């Protein structure tokens, strides 16, 4: 009886904690940290910057932000960018993922009105990175649409955004082509569309679940593709870089061995990742998404599917336009089959039709969907390799959020160690072509509707202090040590 109990405990421990991979990081793997302009810069109207949909959302609907906060000052990186770069340098990181705020360089969104002070801000930031030998990874759109484009033409719901966005990206490559060559067009289109124009929980807060969110999805893909074609035709030769899209999802693990649960988990992946990844890497919408939205639309009395058709021309135009697959990943959930939702009000979740749950023993972050499950990332990377024909993959965000903001952030250390180890397993054991890993984030920031209540930084930021000091957490020392060894285990145990 006792022996059985002890064995039981050992097995449980073995399952809870995967072994840490002792291999040295390959030289092809760049390690860095990520940030985004609207979450750190502040200076929301400084020196000619235009208003964004997130400025407007936070100012107009304070009740939609949990602590009624605004991004007006955030980390004040508009003034303190040199300090940020110094932190990145001190940690020995390879790259810094930043985003250009569209309305800081083009206040109205259009190229006929350039804000030179905004251009100079990014020029200064790029120079600081260059002087410190840190590679910039540049996001051109991190959710911060210039407000005039929302007011005047409906933002991402209007197909005209495709040309307007393409003009903006061309402007960026003309202006910053000497400063960087690692580009992300659009960050997390699922949040832009399904949260911004579907559920409406994110800016611009338009509620049209299962209808206009799919219109946004198509426009985002076309806008990305047009930008990529411009880069490919006009800038690739001189810039010699890469342009990709960043898509985001949790890993969805079948809740049981049953065929129904396995099919449900795969369907969840296709709705959350495939809806963007499939057009980019394979061509057209995933079959299951096309079939389910069409079938439910018909029963709801729509004359056409709520999911817009991609024409043969559009399928060709979008396919092959991501030089790498950028992945933002934070969590794993279990997926069960669920009964078909009654036909009534359309919704993205009813189209997807799954039930989410999790193991009670998983360490939870700051949200009900946020769990530390490193093996989920390893499975996810293998799934991407298989599903999208072995693309180059760059993890553009991964990190742990808590609500305490403690400086003794052991949970963050455990999370980072487990997830980097999963990356090494994927590279060395599963032959996944993973060439970048990016922690979110170097410091705390404005977490959208989560305001200043959810913390992901290896440095704490004191948002009550007008100087916004950056204060080191335990995880910063941990990760500095990892970068020194480029290995997760002690130097004498590291396997070259
Ligand atoms: C779409 O944008 C164009 C050009 O910006 C504008 O003329 C048109 O009115 C917009 N359509 C809608 C429905 O807002
Ligand atoms: C999902 O299915 C598993 C296995 O059939 C079951 O044990 C579990 O309770 C289910 N979860 C939910 C949330 O229904
Ligand atoms: C990874 O992808 C890049 C870009 O396509 C390619 O140059 C490289 O050879 C690939 N590496 C492996 C190990 O497949």
């Amino acid at each position: 009886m006792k022996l059985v109990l002890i064995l039981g405990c050992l097995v449980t421990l073995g399952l809870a904690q995967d072994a840490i991979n002792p291999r040295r990081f390959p030289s092809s793997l760049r390690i860095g940290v990520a940030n985004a302009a609207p979450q750190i810069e502040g200076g929301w109207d400084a020196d000619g910057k235009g208003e964004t949909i997130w400025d407007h959302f936070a100012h107009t609907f304070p009740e939609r932000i949990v602590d009624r906060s605004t991004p007006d000052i955030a980390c004040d990186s508009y003034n303190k960018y040199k300090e940020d770069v110094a932190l990145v340098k001190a940690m020995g990181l390879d790259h810094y993922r930043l985003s250009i705020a569209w309305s800081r360089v083009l206040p109205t969104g259009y190229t006929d009105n350039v804000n030179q002070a905004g251009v100079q801000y990014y020029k200064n930031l790029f120079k600081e990175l260059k002087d410190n030998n840190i590679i910039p990874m540049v996001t051109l759109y991190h959710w911060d649409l210039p407000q005039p484009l929302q007011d005047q033409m409906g933002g991402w719901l209007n197909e005209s955004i495709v040309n307007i966005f393409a003009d903006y990206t061309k402007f960026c490559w003309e202006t910053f082509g000497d400063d960087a060559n690692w580009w992300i067009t659009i960050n997390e289109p699922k949040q832009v569309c399904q949260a911004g124009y579907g559920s409406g929980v994110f800016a611009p807060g338009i509620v049209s679940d299962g209808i206009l969110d799919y219109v946004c999805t198509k426009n985002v893909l076309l806008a990305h593709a047009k930008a990529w074609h411009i880069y490919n035709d006009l800038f690739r030769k001189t810039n010699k870089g890469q342009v990709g899209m960043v898509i985001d999802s949790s890993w969805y693990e079948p809740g049981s061995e049953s065929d129904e649960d396995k099919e449900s988990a795969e369907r969840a992946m296709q709705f959350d990742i495939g809806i963007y990844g499939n057009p980019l890497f394979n061509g057209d919408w995933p079959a299951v998404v096309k079939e389910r939205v069409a079938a439910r639309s018909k029963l709801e009395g729509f004359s056409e599917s709520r999911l817009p058709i991609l024409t043969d021309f559009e399928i060709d135009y979008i396919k092959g336009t991501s030089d790498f697959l950028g992945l933002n990943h934070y969590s794993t959930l279990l997926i069960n089959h669920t009964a078909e939702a009654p036909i009534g009000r359309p919704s993205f979740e009813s189209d997807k039709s799954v039930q989410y749950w999790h193991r009670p023993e998983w360490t939870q972050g700051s949200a009900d969907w946020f769990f530390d499950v490193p093996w989920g990332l390893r499975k996810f990377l293998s799934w991407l390799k298989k599903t999208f024909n072995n693309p180059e993959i760059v993890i553009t965000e991964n990190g742990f959020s808590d609500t305490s903001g403690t400086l003794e952030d052991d949970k963050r250390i455990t999370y980072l160690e487990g997830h980097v180890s999963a990356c090494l397993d994927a590279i060395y054991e599963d032959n996944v072509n993973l060439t970048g890993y990016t922690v979110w984030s170097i410091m705390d920031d404005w977490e959208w509707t989560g305001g200043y209540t959810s913390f992901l930084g290896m440095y704490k930021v004191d948002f009550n202090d007008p100087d916004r000091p950056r204060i080191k957490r335990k995880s910063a020392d941990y990760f500095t040590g990892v970068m020194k060894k480029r290995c997760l285990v002690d130097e004498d145990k590291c396997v070259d």
Side-chain angles (χ1 to χ4, degrees):
M1 186 64 183
K2 257 187 192 153
L3 186 65
V4 171
L5 269 179
I6 291 168
L7 277 177
C9 284
L10 287 175
V11 169
T12 313
L13 282 175
L15 283 177
Q17 184 112 47
D18 294 329
I20 296 306
N21 191 310
R23 296 287 300 269
R24 185 94 57 196
F25 301 169
S27 58
S28 54
L29 183 68
R30 290 169 170 178
I31 311 271
V33 285
N35 269 325
Q39 297 181 269
I40 63 160
E41 282 180 2
W44 79 278
D45 63 351
D47 303 332
K49 176 178 167 289
E51 188 186 33
T52 74
I53 55 173
W54 276 96
D55 296 327
H56 188 80
F57 192 71
H59 293 157
T60 316
F61 310 111
E63 69 284 0
R64 310 283 288 269
I65 313 295
V66 292
D67 56 359
R68 303 179 75 89
S69 65
T70 70
D72 292 2
I73 301 171
C75 306
D76 195 24
S77 290
Y78 186 60
N79 294 305
K80 293 171 76 86
Y81 67 93
K82 285 189 182 177
E83 242 181 82
D84 299 343
V85 173
L87 297 182
V88 176
K89 177 73 177 174
M91 286 180 84
L93 295 160
D94 302 319
H95 70 266
Y96 183 62
R97 179 176 171 218
L98 62 111
S99 85
I100 292 178
W102 187 344
S103 74
R104 195 178 292 289
V105 292
L106 304 177
T108 61
Y110 294 97
T111 47
D112 63 348
N113 179 6
V114 177
N115 179 29
Q116 284 306 334
V119 169
Q120 195 55 50
Y121 170 69
Y122 295 109
K123 284 278 175 194
N124 294 343
L125 175 53
F126 285 128
K127 178 168 188 305
E128 195 66 16
L129 289 168
K130 187 167 187 210
D131 289 350
N132 286 283
N133 271 318
I134 297 161
I135 302 163
M137 180 202 279
V138 185
T139 310
L140 297 173
Y141 186 74
H142 205 116
W143 308 0
D144 45 357
L145 191 75
Q147 181 66 27
L149 296 181
Q150 185 58 43
D151 291 341
Q152 292 160 16
M153 39 90 62
W156 289 103
L157 299 182
N158 186 328
E159 202 178 330
S160 298
I161 195 73
V162 174
N163 289 335
I164 299 169
F165 178 74
D167 287 347
Y168 159 61
T169 60
K170 182 162 178 270
F171 167 82
C172 287
W173 288 320
E174 282 163 355
T175 309
F176 303 114
D178 293 336
D179 302 306
N181 65 2
W182 201 7
W183 306 98
I184 291 158
T185 52
I186 293 167
N187 177 72
E188 298 189 359
K190 188 176 72 187
Q191 308 306 330
V192 173
C193 295
Q194 274 65 37
Y197 296 88
S199 66
V201 297
F202 281 180
I206 292 183
V207 180
S208 179
D209 198 355
I211 307 177
L212 294 179
D213 44 358
Y214 290 127
V215 172
C216 170
T217 297
K218 178 174 172 175
N219 289 336
V220 158
L221 283 164
L222 287 172
H224 159 85
K226 179 148 193 171
W228 183 90
H229 283 288
I230 287 173
Y231 181 84
N232 204 45
D233 295 345
L234 303 180
F235 299 98
R236 188 182 295 280
K237 242 198 206 120
T238 48
N239 188 253
K240 298 185 173 67
Q242 283 180 294
V243 178
M245 188 186 255
V246 162
I247 51 188
D248 68 295
S249 184
S250 300
W251 168 250
Y252 297 129
E253 177 74 8
S256 79
E257 285 297 308
S258 78
D259 287 345
E260 276 184 331
D261 287 349
K262 284 187 195 160
E263 226 176 78
S264 298
E266 175 67 17
R267 185 168 62 248
M269 292 305 293
Q270 292 297 349
F271 267 86
D272 276 18
I273 278 278
I275 197 168
Y276 296 99
N278 208 69
L280 291 173
F281 292 97
N282 298 330
D284 205 358
W285 307 118
V288 67
V289 173
K290 230 158 107 166
E291 284 158 21
R292 283 197 49 87
V293 182
R296 286 188 65 92
S297 300
K298 195 167 176 198
L299 292 170
E300 289 154 355
F302 286 78
S303 59
E304 301 180 330
S305 177
R306 290 179 272 102
L307 183 70
I309 282 174
L310 294 175
T311 64
D312 289 345
F313 173 82
E314 289 166 342
I315 290 170
D316 267 4
Y317 189 71
I318 297 168
K319 186 180 168 183
T321 62
S322 206
D323 297 328
F324 59 89
L325 189 160
L327 176 68
N328 288 357
H329 170 79
Y330 291 94
S331 182
T332 286
L333 291 169
L334 298 170
I335 297 287
N336 281 15
H337 169 78
T338 190
E340 189 72 40
I343 294 299
R345 196 192 303 179
S347 91
F348 180 74
E349 283 298 323
S350 302
D351 291 339
K352 191 195 297 178
S353 188
V354 300
Q355 183 178 18
Y356 308 91
W357 59 300
H358 65 271
R359 298 265 172 233
E361 64 270 25
W362 290 351
T363 301
Q364 189 169 355
S366 70
D368 58 2
W369 54 267
F370 201 128
F371 300 97
D372 178 0
V373 188
W375 56 257
L377 174 55
R378 180 174 176 184
K379 285 193 171 190
F380 198 163
L381 291 168
S382 277
W383 184 90
L384 291 170
K385 177 185 175 183
K386 179 181 73 166
T387 308
F388 300 132
N389 192 24
N390 196 18
E392 180 181 349
I393 300 174
V394 176
I395 294 176
T396 38
E397 289 182 25
N398 178 246
F400 186 76
S401 75
D402 63 41
T403 50
S404 73
T406 177
L407 296 180
E408 299 293 312
D409 54 344
D410 295 289
K411 283 184 184 171
R412 181 164 298 108
I413 292 172
T414 303
Y415 181 102
L416 293 173
E417 180 182 55
H419 283 77
V420 174
S421 180
C423 290
L424 297 176
D425 291 344
I427 293 169
Y428 288 116
E429 311 295 328
D430 308 335
N431 290 315
V432 172
N433 193 356
L434 179 68
T435 60
Y437 174 84
T438 315
V439 180
W440 189 284
S441 182
I442 185 79
M443 63 188 166
D444 296 340
D445 58 16
W446 189 69
E447 280 292 325
W448 314 106
T449 55
Y452 301 107
T453 67
S454 160
F455 307 103
L456 290 105
M458 292 187 281
Y459 281 77
K460 170 190 162 88
V461 174
D462 185 349
F463 293 104
N464 296 315
D465 185 323
D467 288 336
R468 298 296 190 272
R470 283 75 163 130
I471 302 152
K472 202 199 298 186
R473 290 201 172 103
K474 197 170 164 186
S475 59
D477 278 334
Y478 165 75
F479 215 75
T480 306
V482 167
M483 289 310 296
K484 226 167 246 157
K485 296 173 287 183
R486 299 190 90 93
C487 198
L488 294 170
V489 298
D490 290 344
E491 181 57 46
D492 56 340
K493 300 205 180 68
C494 188
V495 179
D496 279 299

